[in-house]
Each structure stands twice: as C-alpha cells, then as structure tokens.
Amino acid sequence: MKDFKKQLLAGPYLLWMIGFIILPMLLVVYYAFFSNHQFTLDNVMAITSEVNFKAILLSLKVGILSTLICLLLSYPLALILKNINFKNQSFIVFLFMLPMWMNFMLRILAWKILLSKNGILNTFLYNINLPKIQILNTSGAIIFGMVYDYLPFMLLPIYNSMAHVKKDYIEAAQDLGASKIRILFQIIIPLTMSGIVSGIVMVFVPTLTSFAISELLGGGKVLLIGNVIEHNFMQGMRWGIGSGLSFVLMVFVFISMILSSKFGEEEKGGTGIL
C-alpha cells in the first residue's frame, strides 16, 4: 500500500519528465539523424564546419574559464561564511542568493547598460580622468556575465557540503600540529569534494549551452555554439542542423557530467584524514 502511494506521488513528476524532458530529447535525436524520414549523418557532421567548430571550441573555453573563476571565488567565500561567528549563517547565504529573485534578462541588461561605451562605469572613469574601457561585445564581457549569473550555483553546494564538515576533525588536526594549508588540502577539500563536483556541473552545463548572455553582452560579435543552434532553429528554420548541433552539445554535457561524477566518487572513496 505504501509503495502504491509513493508511485501515485511520483506520477506528476514522471509525467513532467516524459512531457518536458524525454520527448523533447527524442525529437532532437530524431531531427538530428533523420531528414525527410531518411537516416543521415549530415546534420551531426555539421559541427565539423569551420564556423561551428570554432563556436564549440569557444563555448568550451568560455565554459571552463567561467566555471574555474566561479570555483576560485566561491570556495574562499564559502570558507569565510562558514567561519563567521553569526547566529544565522543561512541569512548571509540568502543575501548572495537574493539577486537570483530578479529576472535573468533584467540582470544581464543592467550589466549591458553599466558596461556600455557611455555607461555608468565609463562615465565614472571619465570623471576621474582615467581612460575608458571597452569590455562590452567581447568574450570577457560574456565570461563576466556568466560568472555573475552562475556564481550562486557554485557557492550554494560548496557551502552546504562545508557546513557538514565536523569541527572535531579540524581541531584534532590542529592538536596534531597540522598547518592550515595541510588542513585545507587534506581535510576540508576532500570532505567537500561532493559540493565542488556538484557546483562544477551546475555551472559548466549552463555556461556551455548558454546563448542569451552572449547575445546581450557579446552583441552578436562573439558566436558561441548556443547562438549557432538558436539561429538555426529560430532564424534559419534549419531544424535538422540545429538538432544535430544540439545532439553534439548533449554529448559534451553527458561526458562532462560522467567525468565529474567519477572524479567526485574517486576523491570521496580515496579520502584519508591526515
């Protein structure tokens, strides 16, 4: 009876998965490998064209850099938040998550205005007799926007895993004469590896597939694979090529998730304290 109730509760979620995840993915696979009901590899092999290949390489570069920057910013920040003597530490984390309540497009458009040629940043630099900077419509602006937008997705899982690290381990290591660096690399980082892996996946996947940030902050001058796919679907109405490129992108996403999960399991399984 209990199992039947559980199945009933899982029913709406299963319907959601079938309707909005499984069926769309099957449609993408169908359009990727079939044209006029004939099997073809031309749509998938479109990734080998010069424009598409450069776009996916740039997407990988931007995604890796954005993920790395998010990790380098989030881990020290999570350590600081963990060590703050504040009664309600979750409130501090809430402050970092608060911007996520605002619409995604509004936040990116706000940065577009701030970073524009005559925007607030350049106006400030001009008023203090400093040269203006041209960051908008560059890959640097896109990375900046992605780091700003996806930083909480890295911070939250790392902070949650760090919150479960027992102080007894750290105090025992300190009593044994371990330095702060050794405690960090041999205790804290191995014990928070699950949060690091989760954060990497949660940041890398959306940065790799993103097209809205590059469209707004890149001004159409920086072409990522997400922009190429969006153009094929929405402007060129080339659903076959768009699906073929989407399939290639899905392969990259699945590979990154598998490697991240395996790396996390190996680190967790091989963790030794001092």
Side-chain angles (χ1 to χ4, degrees):
M1 187 65 181
K2 290 183 179 180
D3 293 337
F4 179 71
K5 289 182 178 179
K6 289 180 179 179
Q7 291 176 359
L8 286 178
L9 291 174
Y13 180 68
L14 290 174
L15 290 175
W16 178 272
M17 285 185 60
I18 293 171
F20 295 96
I21 298 177
I22 296 176
L23 287 179
M25 289 181 66
L26 291 176
L27 284 174
V28 168
V29 173
Y30 174 80
Y31 280 110
F33 288 99
F34 289 90
S35 178
N36 296 324
H37 306 292
Q38 297 291 327
F39 180 80
T40 179
L41 292 176
D42 292 341
N43 296 328
V44 176
M45 294 306 295
I47 192 65
T48 59
S49 69
E50 184 179 357
V51 174
N52 296 336
F53 191 69
K54 285 183 178 179
I56 197 166
L57 286 181
L58 183 58
S59 297
L60 288 169
K61 178 183 176 181
V62 169
I64 292 171
L65 285 176
S66 300
T67 304
L68 182 60
I69 293 172
C70 285
L71 178 60
L72 294 177
L73 291 176
S74 296
Y75 205 88
L77 181 57
L79 277 173
I80 294 171
L81 294 176
K82 175 69 168 58
N83 295 323
I84 287 179
N85 293 322
F86 194 73
K87 292 183 179 180
N88 192 358
Q89 291 183 339
S90 60
F91 177 74
I92 301 176
V93 179
F94 166 77
L95 293 179
F96 286 93
M97 300 296 295
L98 190 60
M100 302 299 295
W101 290 20
M102 187 182 297
N103 183 271
F104 162 78
M105 296 295 290
L106 289 177
R107 286 185 281 119
I108 299 303
L109 285 171
W111 277 112
K112 183 177 180 179
I113 295 172
L114 287 169
L115 299 175
S116 63
K117 185 177 180 180
N118 296 315
I120 297 175
L121 177 61
N122 279 325
T123 301
F124 172 76
L125 294 174
Y126 175 78
N127 289 333
I128 59 175
N129 297 321
L130 289 177
K132 294 183 178 182
I133 59 174
Q134 179 57 42
I135 187 174
L136 200 63
N137 301 333
T138 64
S139 57
I142 296 173
I143 293 174
F144 178 84
M146 288 185 176
V147 170
Y148 164 76
D149 196 61
Y150 297 119
L151 184 65
F153 293 98
M154 181 72 75
L155 175 63
L156 193 59
I158 291 177
Y159 176 80
N160 286 337
S161 63
M162 200 169 289
H164 290 87
V165 176
K166 295 182 180 180
K167 292 184 178 180
D168 297 343
Y169 296 153
I170 299 175
E171 291 174 355
Q174 290 174 340
D175 292 339
L176 292 172
S179 63
K180 292 182 179 181
I181 298 296
R182 191 174 182 187
I183 291 173
L184 175 64
F185 284 97
Q186 292 194 1
I187 297 179
I188 298 177
I189 290 180
L191 292 177
T192 56
M193 187 56 65
S194 60
I196 294 174
V197 172
S198 297
I200 289 174
V201 172
M202 291 176 67
V203 173
F204 179 72
V205 171
T207 55
L208 181 63
T209 58
S210 176
F211 67 90
I213 296 177
S214 55
E215 188 71 27
L216 292 173
L217 298 182
K221 297 180 180 180
V222 181
L223 201 63
L224 301 184
I225 191 64
N227 301 109
V228 176
I229 293 172
E230 190 265 343
H231 291 164
N232 277 289
F233 273 111
M234 304 303 295
Q235 298 180 15
M237 298 301 293
R238 295 185 291 269
W239 287 24
I241 295 177
S243 298
L245 297 177
S246 299
F247 178 80
V248 174
L249 197 58
M250 282 194 295
V251 172
F252 277 97
V253 170
F254 285 136
I255 290 174
S256 66
M257 293 177 68
I258 292 171
L259 291 177
S260 299
S261 62
K262 284 188 176 181
F263 179 76
E265 289 175 0
E266 289 175 0
E267 289 291 334
K268 187 175 180 180
T271 297
I273 299 179
L274 294 182

